[in-house]
Amino acid sequence: MIRVMLAEDQKMLLGALTALLELEDEIAVVGKAANGEEALRMARELQPDICVMDIEMPGLSGLDVAEQLKGSGIKVIILTTFARPGYFERAVKAGVQGYLLKDSPSEELAEAIRSVAAGKKKCSPTSWWNSPTMTKIR
């Protein structure tokens, strides 16, 4: 079972993500946070396998939390509406294993969780992850 914690400040989206992931047999949502501080505290307390985090939340951003979790063994997938290379570069430097755009197909989230749990990286758009700049950063 892959233990997942969700961090999203939009209540409707948090509920939708939870419902979507609860349909997956091998994924268990073990916690839900509505802001960055709560996400960091809960991640440290619950020790999920993967945190799926919105990039922009009140207080600490998803990137701030990812930076603080780096090296903890908790894998991070950033979920965002912002397709900005600067955010992506910072996410890679923070050690995230996944970076998904919120307009991706819904089945891509569960697929990304399974891939990241298996030790693979997952990114949309995939061209970013394989760019020469990102190869140097990683």
Side-chain angles (χ1 to χ4, degrees):
M1 185 68 66
I2 304 168
R3 301 175 69 246
V4 175
M5 190 191 90
L6 300 172
E8 169 62 58
D9 61 317
Q10 296 177 15
K11 291 178 184 180
M12 186 181 295
L13 185 53
L14 182 60
L17 292 171
T18 302
L20 178 70
L21 293 177
E22 286 177 346
L23 297 173
E24 302 292 326
D25 292 334
E26 70 278 6
I27 296 172
V29 176
V30 297
K32 297 182 279 186
N35 62 58
E37 288 86 2
E38 185 179 27
L40 183 59
R41 180 187 55 76
M42 288 179 72
R44 288 178 170 159
E45 179 182 307
L46 298 172
Q47 292 293 302
D49 300 309
I50 297 173
C51 287
V52 176
M53 282 193 242
D54 185 12
I55 204 164
E56 287 191 2
M57 295 183 288
L60 295 175
S61 72
L63 293 173
D64 294 332
V65 176
E67 288 167 347
Q68 292 193 43
L69 292 177
K70 188 175 182 178
S72 69
I74 300 170
K75 297 174 181 176
V76 175
I77 296 173
I78 293 292
L79 188 61
T80 182
T81 56
F82 304 102
R84 297 181 188 154
Y87 275 169
F88 181 71
E89 290 171 14
R90 185 171 168 210
V92 171
K93 288 177 182 176
V96 304
Q97 289 78 20
Y99 191 93
L100 298 178
L101 300 179
K102 289 181 180 178
D103 67 353
S104 299
S106 59
E107 60 273 3
E108 196 168 326
L109 179 58
E111 183 182 307
I113 289 169
R114 286 192 282 284
S115 290
V116 167
K120 299 175 185 169
K121 306 276 187 186
K122 182 66 178 176
C123 175
S124 67
T126 55
S127 59
W128 286 1
W129 198 265
N130 297 315
S131 73
T133 303
M134 292 304 104
T135 303
K136 289 177 187 175
I137 292 172
R138 292 182 287 164

